[in-house]
Amino acid sequence: MIRVLLAEDMHLIRGALIALLALERDIEVVAEVSTGDAVLPAALEHRPDVAVLDVEMPGIDGLTAATALADRLPGCRTLILTALGHPETLRRALTAQVRGFMLKDSPPTELAGAIRRVAAGELVIDQQLAAAAITARPNPLTEREVGVLRLAAEGAELSEIAARLHLTKGTVRNYLGAIVTKLDARNRIDAVRIATEAGWL
């Protein structure tokens, strides 16, 4: 029996996935959570074989949760579900030692097979997405620059970004200038658009 932890913040989708997996004789959902913060505690309690995680969740995101799982519970393999198949997200997932990466618009019947393959130690990735990840432009921004731009994308003012990241306003201004230059953007708003479309935010 393959023991599964399911993390998805949309209740309707989570319920549908649980109902779908309940039809499989060799798969049992032993825990379900709706936030990224709840993934590791639930995994440590229930010891699943596979964690099926949504990328975007309240609290920490699915990739951060996957990294924590790989560190604290290496016997649990992770399968990421996402609505947006950005090549950069796939790259980050592989860095987080994720073993499977599926788009939410995949046929429902493929999920159980993907869980079985991930549990068996296989790497399960959509072929078109894998090809796109190889050929796509790599993210030119540093982790700090991504953090600054993400806050700017949320509408945070210069002083708020500085306070939240423990930086001076001058340093934040320098980061934003470097970001606009690196992305060959017209301004901060254009930089947000470029980074969002590329899946870097």
Side-chain angles (χ1 to χ4, degrees), residues 18-83:
I18 290 169
L20 182 70
L21 294 175
L23 301 174
E24 306 296 328
R25 292 184 179 183
D26 59 336
I27 295 173
E28 179 187 5
V29 177
V30 295
E32 55 170 300
V33 299
S34 59
T35 67
D37 298 330
V39 170
L40 185 59
L44 291 172
E45 179 183 351
H46 296 280
R47 303 281 165 167
D49 303 301
V50 176
V52 179
L53 311 180
D54 186 13
V55 168
E56 296 295 333
M57 290 186 285
I60 63 173
D61 64 35
L63 297 182
T64 304
T67 302
L69 280 176
D71 182 47
R72 297 284 303 281
L73 200 64
C76 176
R77 297 183 172 100
T78 303
L79 170 64
I80 290 288
L81 290 179
T82 181

Side-chain angles (χ1 to χ4, degrees), residues 104-126:
K104 284 185 176 179
D105 63 359
S106 299
T109 51
E110 290 184 8
L111 179 60
I115 289 172
R116 291 185 187 99
R117 291 171 62 196
V118 167
E122 292 182 45
L123 189 62
V124 180
I125 298 171
D126 179 270

Side-chain angles (χ1 to χ4, degrees), residues 6-189:
L6 181 62
E8 164 63 59
D9 64 315
M10 302 293 287
H11 297 292
L12 190 63
I13 294 174
R14 191 169 71 249
L17 291 173
I18 290 169
L20 182 70
L21 294 175
L23 301 174
E24 306 296 328
R25 292 184 179 183
D26 59 336
I27 295 173
E28 179 187 5
V29 177
V30 295
E32 55 170 300
V33 299
S34 59
T35 67
D37 298 330
V39 170
L40 185 59
L44 291 172
E45 179 183 351
H46 296 280
R47 303 281 165 167
D49 303 301
V50 176
V52 179
L53 311 180
D54 186 13
V55 168
E56 296 295 333
M57 290 186 285
I60 63 173
D61 64 35
L63 297 182
T64 304
T67 302
L69 280 176
D71 182 47
R72 297 284 303 281
L73 200 64
C76 176
R77 297 183 172 100
T78 303
L79 170 64
I80 290 288
L81 290 179
T82 181
L84 301 171
H86 292 301
E88 184 64 25
T89 307
L90 174 56
R91 284 199 195 100
R92 288 179 54 216
L94 294 174
T95 302
Q97 299 179 50
V98 165
R99 300 299 302 168
F101 196 93
M102 279 187 74
L103 298 177
K104 284 185 176 179
D105 63 359
S106 299
T109 51
E110 290 184 8
L111 179 60
I115 289 172
R116 291 185 187 99
R117 291 171 62 196
V118 167
E122 292 182 45
L123 189 62
V124 180
I125 298 171
D126 179 270
Q127 290 184 344
Q128 288 183 328
L129 190 56
I134 292 167
T135 57
R137 173 186 175 193
N139 185 355
L141 304 179
T142 65
E143 193 171 326
R144 175 61 91 182
E145 288 167 344
V146 169
V148 168
L149 191 59
R150 189 172 285 133
L151 290 176
E154 292 172 5
E157 296 293 333
L158 207 64
S159 56
E160 185 184 348
I161 296 172
R164 287 175 65 177
L165 298 180
H166 309 290
L167 300 169
T168 66
K169 286 200 289 185
T171 301
V172 172
R173 196 175 290 110
N174 289 342
Y175 274 127
L176 289 170
I179 290 165
V180 168
T181 300
K182 283 184 177 182
L183 299 185
D184 197 23
R186 294 187 301 276
N187 50 41
R188 188 190 312 182
I189 294 169

